[in-house]
Amino acid sequence: MVRDPKTIDMLTRDYPYGFVTEIEEDSVPAGLSEDIIRAISSKKNEPDWMLEWRLRAYRQWLTLKEPTWANVHYGPIDYQAIRYYSAPKQRGDGPKSLAEVDPELLRTYERLGIPLAERELLAGVAVDAVFDSVSVATTFRDKLEQLGIYFCSFSEAVQKYPDLVQKYLGSVVPYSDNFFATLNSAVFSDGSFAYIPKGVRCPLELSTYFRINASETGQFERTLIIADEGSYVSYLEGCTAPMRDRNQLHAAVVELVALDDAEIRYATVQNWYPGDNEGRGGIYNFVTKRGKCQGVNSKISWTQVETGSAITWKYPGCILMGDNSTGAFYSVAVTNNYQQADTGTKMIHIGKNTRSTIVSKGISAGHGQNSYRGMVKVLKSAENARNYSQCDSLLIGDKCGAHTFPYLEVKNSTARVEHEASISKIGDDQIFYCQQRGLSAEDAVSTIINGFCKQALQELPMEFAVEARKLLGVSLEGSVG
Amino acid sequence: MMLRIRNLSASVDGKPILRGLELDVCAGEVHAIMGPNGSGKSTFAQVLAGRDTYHVVADELSFQGRDLRQMPPEIRAREGIFLAFQYPVEIPGVSNLYFLRAAVNAVRAHRGLPELDAVDFMSRARDEAKSLGMDDAMLKRSLNEGFSGGEKKRNEILQMKLLEPRLAILDESDSGLDIDALRIVADGINTMRSVDRAIIVVTHYQRLLNYVVPDRVHVLIGGRIIRSGSKELAMELEEKGYGWLEEQAAAERSEYKPGAKRKRDSAQPQENPQPSRKVS
Ligand SMILES: Nc1ncnc2c1ncn2[C@@H]1O[C@H](COP(=O)(O)OP(=O)(O)OP(=O)(O)O)[C@@H](O)[C@H]1O
Ligand SMILES: [Mg+2]
């Protein structure tokens, strides 16, 4: 079916972000112990309460077992072989401005298409870049500070805004939440922090770029976003990693808190290295993301485009506490070659008139396995709760699989819950129809896929939607034919 | 000669569908192909467009002097072959207008023309849509999704008009149309008639041919063109059906021994009173 020489070329095209940056790293020895945690904490010059919190998490973690309920398969992870902290060596106390950031690092980000410098201004994006374990630069800080918005690395927030961190850290994802979140709580090294004060509409898209560079290193970042009353923020997270033939663990935690009338839109474009086309290497992406609609009329939406990682285990959810609060989850998850994804969401309705929307689009190609796992829980207190779930799967070829695991728990009879699901294949007739109109087989597939994902993609901020479309094309290149 | 076909056979899973079809079409001509259900008309149209479901063998299959077999479907399309599908497919989530523009620009790029900008394209598409009695909302909807049968047919004609093909193959573009729509579609086809363009209409009904008057009419039965004639042939078919021709075809098929080398000429039934192939 595929004759186009361009297509053949695409078939053999590599993961374009697979390069390694030669940079001196400052790290702790591999392995996990109280000493390692103390070492990480002291490298970051943390206050006692932070260290205590980490140690509590660590002790809890020792009692937990790795979960096995997800529909994914991988060999045992040796937690003692992982290095829990790795940072590019810094001169003195860490960069105060972009000029102090290692130029090699800046070049890495440029290759990734994340310019940290002036070009930002045009895009209207403020970027916090996390390289391996630490945050290396945050742009536009001054402009944001004028509005009272704090946007910085998590470590910096621990130093500068300890009250906010102490108040909200673990308030959505407690340190005892689950195996991977608990591990993260013990060893997290950095991440992003944002606080939007009352009544402020954040004028820029806030953005974090995560990059795993060092080998045998886990990345455990932690993000905390707090939208105070009546504020609004849109946040984007992007991720890449070099190609390595060993698996690397990424266990992040993201907590969102929306107070009265506040809105947080959180978007992820996840493109961690997925492993090669025989299933060697790639990132294990075991992530806990949760938002709490704490205030009345608050809104949180998660939009994710998941194309990377060897294994994805991820359920961004919303706790709808405030009356009239709204949660949404829009997801596009692609599994190609030997990728496995078990992803979905949890919507927990507690307040009155709470609403949630779930739109999940799973695409499986090659030997990819794609599972949607979604929970909708309506508690007794949630008078008039509404949920709408739509869950569509698209199969390309006949060696891949799509699975759906919806869980529903309704304790209030006034609730209305709707669930729709579909499984379809890209038809030869659809591809032929597009080709007959002059589109190449590649463009035909990407057009069909983009159409399939439209409801989710249109939730992304404009400039990232364009990125995401390209990424979908690249991830599925050569999968039809 | 725009299209030249000699001894074309097509099969799927070893099952023959087209068996030794011959046809010549010149620029400026309109040809009608008629024939009973299942006789191979759509297969023929799809084979011309490059559908790879079919195993194709031919002595010649050329378009503007070039061998079609060397061209993937998208190149055929860009070179100017357009197929209005009997059953247009639905592509959810892809806006009709977006798709049309992508198609037009793919063809333009191939011809070395610059991309049409969105505004210019939009106004052209609107005008053409209007002339086909389609409202703007249809342009914004997902491609063919939830379109009625007649709406799909009109949309195919809209695509043809915007793509300006050299050879348009219309596979039952008149089926399922109401009386007014038939007229509108026929007018749409007639505006496409020109000296440098050829049109092949596949139809079951003489009705369409009252509006779109063909230069030649061919009868396709059992995978071959067994009779060709002028527009009067269509009227004869309307009156008599295909039975009388099918008998002829059956008689001839029984003479046909698979595997045996046939003389080229036997592709044309001897008793055909008019030579079906124009010499040009
Ligand atoms: N992909 C295919 N697989 C199996 N059989 C096929 C395929 N395509 C066509 N056929 C068969 O070939 C024969 C011719 O089909 P075709 O669609 O070309 O007929 P047609 O002349 O267009 O009929 P109609 O007037 O009903 O549209 C039919 O018997 C059909 O079932
Ligand atoms: Mg047909």
Side-chain angles (χ1 to χ4, degrees):
Chain A
M1 156 133 263
V2 182
R3 302 185 192 82
D4 199 339
K6 181 172 145 252
T7 310
I8 308 294
D9 182 43
M10 298 292 196
L11 276 166
T12 53
R13 186 147 121 191
D14 295 326
Y15 178 73
Y17 308 105
F19 55 86
V20 178
T21 306
E22 292 303 333
I23 208 157
E24 244 190 296
E25 299 264 356
D26 171 22
S27 57
V28 297
L32 188 52
S33 64
E34 290 210 2
D35 287 345
I36 292 280
I37 290 165
R38 284 175 202 281
I40 294 172
S41 189
S42 98
K43 271 184 190 299
K44 307 182 88 57
N45 212 4
E46 286 178 350
D48 287 347
W49 59 265
M50 193 68 258
L51 174 62
E52 280 312 310
W53 199 77
R54 288 176 180 278
L55 290 173
R56 273 204 300 278
Y58 175 64
R59 287 166 201 146
Q60 173 84 20
W61 183 74
L62 291 174
T63 71
L64 298 176
K65 284 225 153 32
E66 204 173 314
T68 53
W69 46 262
N71 187 26
V72 295
H73 305 278
Y74 54 93
I77 298 175
D78 181 356
Y79 292 92
Q80 294 304 337
I82 296 171
R83 231 168 350 133
Y84 289 87
Y85 182 84
S86 170
K89 273 229 169 84
Q90 290 170 348
R91 291 157 287 187
D93 274 340
K96 297 268 181 305
S97 73
L98 279 179
E100 288 179 35
V101 175
D102 190 326
E104 185 61 28
L105 253 184
L106 292 182
R107 270 194 292 279
T108 301
Y109 284 109
E110 246 171 63
R111 282 171 80 181
L112 294 170
I114 325 148
L116 288 165
E118 275 308 303
R119 276 178 275 171
E120 293 304 313
L121 208 55
L122 300 169
V125 180
V127 178
D128 182 27
V130 178
F131 193 82
D132 283 332
S133 300
V134 296
S135 178
V136 285
T138 305
T139 58
F140 281 117
R141 183 174 306 198
D142 297 347
K143 190 169 175 195
L144 294 170
E145 265 173 13
Q146 281 165 18
L147 293 164
I149 296 170
Y150 309 148
F151 179 45
C152 60
S153 72
F154 198 93
S155 317
E156 199 179 333
V158 170
Q159 309 293 337
K160 282 174 77 177
Y161 318 111
D163 294 348
L164 280 172
V165 174
Q166 253 186 303
K167 182 166 175 193
Y168 290 106
L169 175 69
S171 72
V172 187
V173 180
Y175 69 78
S176 55
D177 194 79
N178 69 71
F179 184 85
F180 296 111
T182 303
L183 177 62
N184 173 290
S185 302
V187 302
F188 75 87
S189 30
D190 214 335
S192 294
F193 173 87
Y195 170 79
I196 324 298
K198 276 185 194 162
V200 171
R201 203 182 152 85
C202 183
L204 303 174
E205 301 277 351
L206 298 187
S207 172
T208 302
Y209 236 92
F210 295 110
R211 168 97 181 146
I212 299 180
N213 188 59
S215 59
E216 318 293 311
T217 302
Q219 180 153 328
F220 304 92
E221 78 276 347
R222 189 146 193 131
T223 296
L224 175 59
I225 299 173
I226 303 146
D228 211 329
E229 293 170 19
S231 69
Y232 166 88
V233 63
S234 166
Y235 192 91
L236 184 110
E237 171 200 288
C239 338
T240 58
M243 290 158 70
R244 298 191 186 280
D245 53 9
R246 301 279 289 274
N247 297 107
Q248 282 179 285
L249 179 62
H250 172 252
V253 172
V254 176
E255 296 180 276
L256 310 181
V257 181
L259 303 183
D260 290 357
D261 303 300
E263 179 172 0
I264 303 175
R265 295 168 66 93
Y266 193 104
T268 305
V269 175
Q270 185 266 108
N271 186 27
W272 295 118
Y273 177 54
D276 67 13
N277 50 19
E278 315 237 303
R280 281 183 302 249
I283 302 289
Y284 290 166
N285 189 36
F286 299 157
V287 171
T288 305
K289 293 185 168 178
R290 201 172 299 148
K292 185 152 83 176
C293 284
Q294 192 167 317
V296 295
N297 307 320
S298 55
K299 287 185 185 159
I300 289 180
S301 79
W302 297 100
T303 304
Q304 59 174 27
V305 176
E306 304 277 325
T307 59
S309 297
I311 302 179
T312 297
W313 179 100
K314 179 180 174 190
Y315 316 91
C318 298
I319 303 171
L320 303 167
M321 268 171 65
D323 290 349
N324 313 318
S325 61
T326 315
F329 172 74
Y330 299 96
S331 169
V332 174
V334 176
T335 52
N336 197 359
N337 297 323
Y338 286 86
Q339 284 176 281
Q340 308 174 56
D342 192 301
T343 183
T345 184
K346 259 189 205 173
M347 293 290 174
I348 305 185
H349 293 255
I350 301 172
K352 295 189 184 70
N353 304 313
T354 46
R355 253 143 250 266
S356 61
T357 306
I358 299 172
V359 175
S360 159
K361 303 280 181 174
I363 301 162
S364 322
H367 297 260
Q369 292 296 326
N370 212 323
S371 302
Y372 167 79
R373 192 181 299 277
M375 170 181 267
V376 177
K377 206 170 180 171
V378 178
L379 302 194
K380 225 178 166 129
S381 52
E383 205 66 26
N384 283 314
R386 297 277 176 275
N387 163 266
Y388 171 73
S389 304
Q390 183 187 338
C391 178
D392 300 318
S393 309
L394 187 68
L395 302 177
I396 304 175
D398 50 14
K399 293 189 185 68
C400 54
H403 318 270
T404 310
F405 305 97
Y407 304 90
L408 192 60
E409 208 180 300
V410 181
K411 298 267 168 58
N412 186 310
S413 60
T414 61
R416 218 166 57 211
V417 175
E418 286 175 73
H419 181 92
E420 285 177 28
S422 77
I423 293 195
S424 51
K425 282 193 130 184
I426 287 196
D428 284 351
D429 53 345
Q430 287 177 315
I431 295 174
F432 180 66
Y433 188 86
C434 296
Q435 286 180 294
Q436 211 304 301
R437 297 301 185 251
L439 274 57
S440 65
E442 234 62 54
D443 289 347
V445 171
S446 104
T447 299
I448 296 165
I449 296 217
N450 277 301
F452 173 75
C453 303
K454 187 184 194 174
Q455 280 164 291
L457 292 179
Q458 70 192 9
E459 297 297 322
L460 285 173
M462 188 69 142
E463 57 273 38
F464 299 120
V466 175
E467 266 317 297
R469 279 197 191 100
K470 280 195 220 137
L471 197 55
L472 281 179
V474 173
S475 315
L476 287 163
E477 253 150 26
S479 57
V480 177
Chain B
M1 186 76 60
M2 181 172 282
L3 186 66
R4 196 176 146 89
I5 300 169
R6 292 293 173 274
N7 198 19
L8 168 67
S9 297
S11 58
V12 66
D13 303 328
K15 175 188 155 194
I17 302 174
L18 301 181
R19 329 156 180 251
L21 188 147
E22 314 238 327
L23 184 69
D24 287 338
V25 178
C26 293
E29 294 176 346
V30 173
H31 289 231
I33 294 181
M34 305 182 79
N37 294 134
S39 58
K41 302 180 297 297
S42 295
T43 302
F44 174 52
Q46 303 237 352
V47 164
L48 285 181
R51 183 86 198 230
D52 68 359
T53 319
Y54 302 100
H55 177 66
V56 173
V57 183
D59 292 346
E60 183 173 354
L61 183 58
S62 68
F63 173 64
Q64 298 184 323
R66 291 178 56 194
D67 189 349
L68 272 182
R69 287 165 292 188
Q70 305 304 317
M71 292 187 222
E74 64 270 29
I75 301 299
R76 299 186 196 198
R78 294 173 198 166
E79 284 284 321
I81 293 183
F82 177 90
L83 169 60
F85 286 73
Q86 182 176 3
Y87 304 108
V89 302
E90 305 191 352
I91 306 188
V94 175
S95 104
N96 202 7
L97 195 66
Y98 170 88
F99 180 77
L100 267 169
R101 188 160 157 250
V104 168
N105 282 331
V107 171
R108 287 178 68 90
H110 185 73
R111 296 181 188 166
L113 297 168
E115 276 201 0
L116 278 181
D117 82 81
V119 180
D120 286 352
F121 179 75
M122 180 83 168
S123 73
R124 255 202 76 200
R126 275 214 182 113
D127 289 348
E128 294 289 8
K130 204 167 155 208
S131 77
L132 291 166
M134 297 166 64
D135 62 28
D136 281 5
M138 301 264 308
L139 292 175
K140 298 200 179 96
R141 280 168 63 179
S142 289
L143 180 59
N144 291 325
E145 196 185 27
F147 284 22
S148 76
E151 287 169 343
K152 285 182 183 167
K153 298 287 161 114
R154 283 189 216 208
N155 201 41
E156 294 290 287
I157 300 299
L158 173 66
Q159 297 188 24
M160 171 179 74
K161 295 191 81 175
L162 290 168
L163 286 165
E164 303 178 311
R166 296 193 175 114
L167 171 65
I169 306 152
L170 309 174
D171 192 359
E172 298 201 26
S173 294
D174 57 336
S175 298
L177 293 181
D178 65 45
I179 298 157
D180 295 336
L182 179 68
R183 227 202 166 107
I184 290 169
V185 164
D187 286 346
I189 299 170
N190 281 329
T191 59
M192 294 295 287
R193 288 185 90 143
S194 88
V195 286
D196 50 13
R197 179 174 293 133
I199 302 176
I200 298 175
V201 293
V202 173
T203 181
H204 285 295
Y205 307 108
Q206 150 68 20
R207 216 177 36 173
L208 175 73
L209 303 181
N210 286 336
Y211 297 115
V212 180
V213 182
D215 298 300
R216 302 289 294 163
V217 175
H218 309 277
V219 182
L220 200 159
I221 293 182
R224 309 179 56 203
I225 289 177
I226 61 152
R227 173 81 60 124
S228 297
S230 61
K231 62 182 196 297
E232 282 74 27
L233 177 57
M235 289 188 230
E236 199 179 351
L237 292 171
E238 185 94 341
E239 215 171 276
K240 300 206 276 189
Y242 295 109
W244 57 291
L245 286 170
E246 269 172 338
E247 278 163 31
Q248 286 180 8
E252 203 220 327
R253 244 199 316 272
S254 65
E255 287 163 26
Y256 170 65
K257 292 187 191 68
K261 203 166 162 18
R262 274 193 302 156
K263 274 200 297 175
R264 158 85 54 81
D265 276 351
S266 68
Q268 292 301 326
Q270 302 305 321
E271 42 312 9
N272 192 343
Q274 290 176 314
S276 73
R277 239 189 289 148
K278 274 218 290 207
V279 184
S280 57

